[in-house]
Amino acid sequence: MASDPLDASDMTTSVPPPIAAKPPARKRARKAAMPPVPHSEPGNEEAAPASGDAASAPAYDAAAVEALATRAEELRVRIRAAEVAYYERSDPILSDIEFDELLLDLRAIEERHPELITPESPTQHVSGEPTALFAQVEHVVPMLSLANVHTAEELRAWQERAQRQLPRATFAYVCEPKIDGLSMNLTYERGLLVSAATRGNGVVGDDVTPNVRTIQDVPKRLRAAPDAPIPELVELRGEVYMRVADFEALNERLAAEAEQAGATPRIFANPRNGASGSLHQKDASVTAGRPLSFLAYAAGTLVGAREPESQWELLRRLAAWGFQVSSLAARVESIEAAQAFCDHLEAERFKVPYEIDGAVIKIDARWQQEELGAVARDPRWAIAYKFAPVQRNTRLLDIWVSVGRTGALTPNARLEPVQIGGVTVSNSTLFNERYIISRDIRIGDTVVIERRGDVIPKVVKPLPDLRTGTEVAWQFPGECPSCHTPIVRVEGEAVLFCRNAECPAKHLERIRHFVSRGAMDIQGLGDLIVERLLTTATIRDAADLYDLTEETLLQLDGFQKKSASNLVTAIAASKNLALPRVLFALGIRFVGEKAATTLAEGLRSMQNLLAATEEQITSLPGIGPRIAASVYEWIQQPSNRELVARLAASGLRMSLPDDEPAAESSNLPFAGQSFVLTGSLGALTRGQAEGAILRLGGKIA
């Protein structure tokens, strides 16, 4: 690729980069309609067609064929039920990958036995149907689906099939992110929006024009431009979606409203379902209150203006008309470059502020698209490259409570093991008691599990439609599971606490945090060794670590002379770490790495921190009242002050060097200004940007 597709300060742009060289136009008869355009909704794409004709069916006996026919019908029933839940209720009962697996099984049977294909089979039409809630609109050009691939070999096979059909052609490709949203068809007459319809069954969709008019990203009138004249009639296609942060805020709001009203919560499983559910509202004012966005990527019919010669030119024209188009899109000259785009996008997918579940690779030249055409419900000139799933469904077997270093009690789900993104997930967080109650999560439920990147897996929601009546509601225990001290409910907080200063679980978690990466980073001191040191009473707290000797360690099971020597050396090396790392390692509630750095740079020494008032702490840039109150409460505890004194006596650094004087912030360029950082940055990480602002005298809100 010529440039990094994710190196952008914003995720959408008005105009894509200019085309380096426009391919020569092929003389052909102009048509009133663009090629059938695939939609990009997840959960209804087929696997890539076989590279050749289906192999001849083996000679099965009648009983075997009848068994296959029964299995095919069972698959059709399950797929139809999943489609109704997904498209009509916006409340899926299967994850995308589970749906794809059912469709793949059905297709395999039908390819082997074409006589078992029925006209209404899901393999023979685009998934979804118009609903009874809205009037129907017929698309001038059908909205097709996309076949999908998952590997470099499958992507290459797709390219080779196109090459066999056009053996003398040279292909260029437009690569775009596959947004996990709801496909939409917008019709404009002489530049005015007259109709907005869902994909429906690909031919007829729901008329949701009043609702779509509430989306700010959808122009009500096309903007004229010299290279993009307004046509008499045009169908434009794109995706209605929700940004991840907006989706999470919406779910929290819906859960809180349901809890307050004593009603069953209506929680969306993912941003795609949030977008679909918000759009399918009879009252447009409800849709107007939902944070919906729109991104354009295709066109259906076009009358009264020159048709674009390529997909890349179409994106430029959409931007000129006033639509948001993806700034992540790239035009490449080879299938190898297209694969590199997919690999890079998958690696960076969680940095994008909206959900993407893959990439869409399109052959760029319009004449090549027309020549390649479509097979069944899929265009031959476009393919979806699907990423590893972030969500799957599984059973919640039990709920157990863990104790954190501050005494916070966290409920966790024990799950029937399930593979998500190449990782086996058997446990996930449930956050707090309120989270469980607001979502009506029960032991025995089939639940939606989500794992994004390296983030701890979480239970998104249960699937009440799949309940059998054996599920059990769960109640938070009244005492700490470690020390059996009665738990404490802090007013205004969802988290419950164990306040026992001698709780064994709290001691364990405090030391685990103290030695972890980002804190004192003591290599060789893993969780099991920390637990062994505590259970054998070799140490009581973090300060005792600095009194350990090789002789002491050699008395414990599992230690040899070399491992004992290495650990003592690593503990001694941690004494050289700067004050911010020491502050973070202490595990003060709400004090992360950034806040620890701010405290250290603002107060310069541990002695100054222990003597500071709550008002002095609050006055530091980026330190709000909640952090300041937590820090002040921590430094007032005699046991904590004693711990600091013992760490100082062991030789840890308790002040910043005098040759690094604090800057006089009132004379700096950003003095008195506060900044909020959102989205992503091209040249800096978020931490680097925040650090630069702080050094220039600004505050991070």
Side-chain angles (χ1 to χ4, degrees):
M1 285 180 288
S3 62
D4 184 345
L6 291 176
D7 186 15
S9 60
D10 192 5
M11 291 297 107
T12 54
T13 183
S14 296
V15 184
I19 301 174
K22 187 175 182 178
R26 172 171 169 165
K27 292 184 179 180
R28 62 187 186 278
R30 292 287 183 183
K31 300 180 180 179
M34 305 284 285
V37 179
H39 80 292
S40 60
E41 277 183 34
N44 59 347
E45 302 87 348
E46 298 177 9
S51 57
D53 294 335
S56 300
Y60 291 106
D61 57 29
V65 174
E66 184 176 353
L68 284 174
T70 300
R71 171 61 177 161
E73 186 55 31
E74 290 173 350
L75 289 169
R76 293 185 190 111
V77 170
R78 290 191 63 190
I79 291 170
R80 288 191 198 105
E83 287 178 335
V84 169
Y86 187 91
Y87 293 106
E88 297 182 22
R89 300 203 310 267
S90 300
D91 193 13
I93 58 176
L94 294 178
S95 66
D96 288 351
I97 191 169
E98 289 166 332
F99 184 94
D100 287 347
E101 287 168 352
L102 293 181
L103 201 58
L104 191 62
D105 288 348
L106 178 59
R107 172 174 282 233
I109 293 173
E110 292 180 346
E111 285 181 346
R112 192 174 289 262
H113 286 277
E115 72 275 12
L116 299 181
I117 298 175
T118 62
E120 69 277 4
S121 175
T123 64
Q124 302 304 302
H125 60 78
V126 174
S127 298
E129 289 293 337
T131 69
L133 293 176
F134 301 91
Q136 271 69 64
V137 175
E138 183 174 354
H139 310 309
V140 178
V141 174
M143 297 177 72
L144 302 183
S145 64
L146 286 172
N148 63 62
V149 296
H150 298 84
T151 66
E153 293 75 20
E154 292 174 345
L155 181 63
R156 167 68 71 177
W158 167 75
Q159 187 270 343
E160 290 173 351
R161 289 194 295 274
Q163 196 70 71
R164 285 196 297 271
Q165 192 169 346
L166 296 177
R168 297 184 180 181
T170 299
F171 297 131
Y173 308 90
V174 173
C175 309
E176 304 170 37
K178 186 175 180 297
I179 299 178
D180 199 358
L182 179 72
S183 292
M184 188 60 52
N185 184 66
L186 307 176
T187 302
Y188 288 82
E189 294 181 1
R190 293 181 290 279
L192 294 177
L193 176 64
V194 296
S195 172
T198 63
R199 180 198 46 80
N201 60 16
V203 177
V204 176
D206 290 332
D207 185 350
V208 290
T209 307
N211 296 4
V212 169
R213 287 184 183 278
T214 69
I215 303 175
Q216 292 186 352
D217 290 345
V218 176
K220 311 308 178 287
R221 179 189 294 271
L222 299 182
R223 188 171 59 203
D227 57 346
I230 295 177
E232 295 178 16
L233 174 68
V234 63
E235 283 182 312
L236 300 177
R237 274 85 190 261
E239 210 79 2
V240 175
Y241 67 98
M242 276 189 189
R243 292 174 177 261
V244 174
D246 293 336
F247 160 74
E248 292 174 348
L250 174 63
N251 257 358
E252 288 301 319
R253 191 185 90 197
L254 295 176
E257 290 173 352
E259 184 179 7
Q260 187 174 9
T264 301
R266 177 71 163 84
I267 302 300
F268 294 113
N270 51 55
R272 188 268 168 201
N273 298 115
S276 177
S278 298
L279 198 67
H280 284 93
Q281 297 287 332
K282 289 297 291 181
D283 185 353
S285 66
V286 176
T287 303
R290 301 286 175 85
L292 297 176
S293 300
F294 181 80
L295 190 142
Y297 52 69
T301 190
L302 191 155
V303 178
R306 181 185 66 82
E307 298 171 4
E309 298 288 336
S310 66
Q311 172 66 15
W312 196 245
E313 183 184 350
L314 173 61
L315 291 180
R316 292 178 62 186
R317 193 176 297 187
L318 290 170
W321 282 335
F323 289 95
Q324 296 290 334
V325 298
S326 178
S327 66
L328 305 182
R331 185 180 187 274
V332 299
E333 302 291 340
S334 68
I335 199 65
E336 291 78 15
Q339 180 64 54
F341 175 94
C342 295
D343 293 341
H344 183 78
L345 188 62
E346 183 167 20
E348 301 292 317
R349 65 189 290 194
F350 300 115
K351 296 181 181 179
V352 180
Y354 46 79
E355 291 275 8
I356 53 176
D357 61 350
V360 177
I361 312 301
K362 301 174 183 176
I363 291 175
D364 189 32
R366 172 78 191 293
W367 73 265
Q368 293 172 344
Q369 295 178 9
E370 292 179 341
E371 291 289 338
L372 290 169
V375 57
R377 62 183 207 170
D378 308 323
R380 293 189 179 96
W381 50 269
I383 198 78
Y385 188 99
K386 297 292 287 292
F387 297 157
V390 297
Q391 288 188 341
R392 297 225 44 176
N393 298 348
T394 190
R395 282 190 69 236
L396 193 160
L397 303 177
D398 198 5
I399 297 177
W400 57 282
V401 176
S402 61
V403 185
R405 67 179 188 271
T406 66
L409 303 177
T410 303
N412 303 275
R414 183 168 287 115
L415 306 166
E416 201 168 84
V418 62
Q419 283 274 331
I420 306 180
V423 175
T424 300
V425 175
S426 56
N427 292 285
S428 73
T429 182
L430 288 166
F431 299 105
N432 53 59
E433 182 184 35
R434 184 179 300 168
Y435 189 87
I436 296 173
I437 294 173
S438 66
R439 285 158 176 77
D440 190 24
I441 298 171
R442 306 178 187 180
I443 296 173
D445 267 335
T446 298
V447 293
V448 179
I449 305 299
E450 179 177 271
R451 180 180 181 272
R452 295 172 55 84
D454 295 327
V455 177
I456 297 173
K458 70 176 182 179
V459 173
V460 177
K461 60 173 288 184
L463 299 175
D465 289 351
L466 301 184
R467 284 176 177 159
T468 62
T470 60
E471 295 77 16
V472 179
W474 181 82
Q475 288 187 333
F476 214 100
E479 60 181 29
C480 171
S482 176
C483 66
H484 305 292
T485 301
I487 62 173
V488 175
R489 296 177 181 269
V490 179
E491 186 176 354
E493 292 199 27
V495 180
L496 305 178
F497 288 90
C498 170
R499 290 302 194 194
N500 179 11
E502 300 304 319
C503 177
K506 290 167 68 172
H507 281 306
L508 176 62
E509 293 304 323
R510 284 171 183 165
I511 298 176
R512 282 178 173 174
H513 172 75
F514 186 88
V515 305
S516 66
R517 293 185 64 182
M520 302 311 289
D521 195 16
I522 300 177
Q523 300 296 316
L525 198 49
D527 290 351
L528 293 178
I529 295 178
V530 170
E531 190 169 357
R532 192 181 311 158
L533 291 172
L534 279 171
T535 55
T536 58
T538 306
I539 63 172
R540 293 174 298 117
D541 55 29
D544 287 340
L545 293 171
Y546 294 93
D547 295 330
L548 290 175
T549 64
E550 290 184 36
E551 292 73 19
T552 302
L553 293 174
L554 287 173
Q555 296 175 18
L556 301 176
D557 291 339
F559 274 101
Q560 302 297 324
K561 184 170 180 57
K562 184 174 182 180
S563 59
S565 175
N566 288 343
L567 180 53
V568 171
T569 300
I571 293 172
S574 71
K575 297 178 182 180
N576 297 320
L577 295 177
L579 177 60
R581 296 283 287 274
V582 177
L583 276 173
F584 176 61
L586 291 174
I588 304 171
R589 193 181 185 208
F590 303 134
V591 176
E593 294 180 60
K594 184 176 71 174
T597 300
T598 300
L599 290 168
E601 292 180 349
L603 297 171
R604 310 301 294 170
S605 72
M606 187 69 74
Q607 182 179 0
N608 291 341
L609 175 62
L610 295 178
T613 65
E614 189 170 344
E615 291 72 21
Q616 288 174 319
I617 299 171
T618 307
S619 68
L620 297 174
I623 301 296
R626 185 176 69 161
I627 297 177
S630 177
V631 172
Y632 186 74
E633 179 184 355
W634 191 91
I635 63 179
Q636 299 309 307
Q637 300 298 319
S639 59
N640 294 333
R641 300 174 79 92
E642 179 189 355
L643 175 64
V644 169
R646 292 171 57 214
L647 290 172
S650 296
L652 274 68
R653 294 188 176 185
M654 294 295 173
S655 63
L656 292 181
D658 292 336
D659 58 356
E660 295 181 12
E664 179 56 49
S665 61
S666 61
N667 296 325
L668 294 175
F670 290 168
Q673 300 183 53
S674 295
F675 295 81
V676 176
L677 301 182
T678 62
S680 61
L681 301 168
L684 300 173
T685 65
R686 184 186 184 92
Q688 290 170 334
E690 290 177 343
I693 291 171
L694 292 172
R695 287 191 296 274
L696 292 172
K699 294 183 178 182
I700 305 299

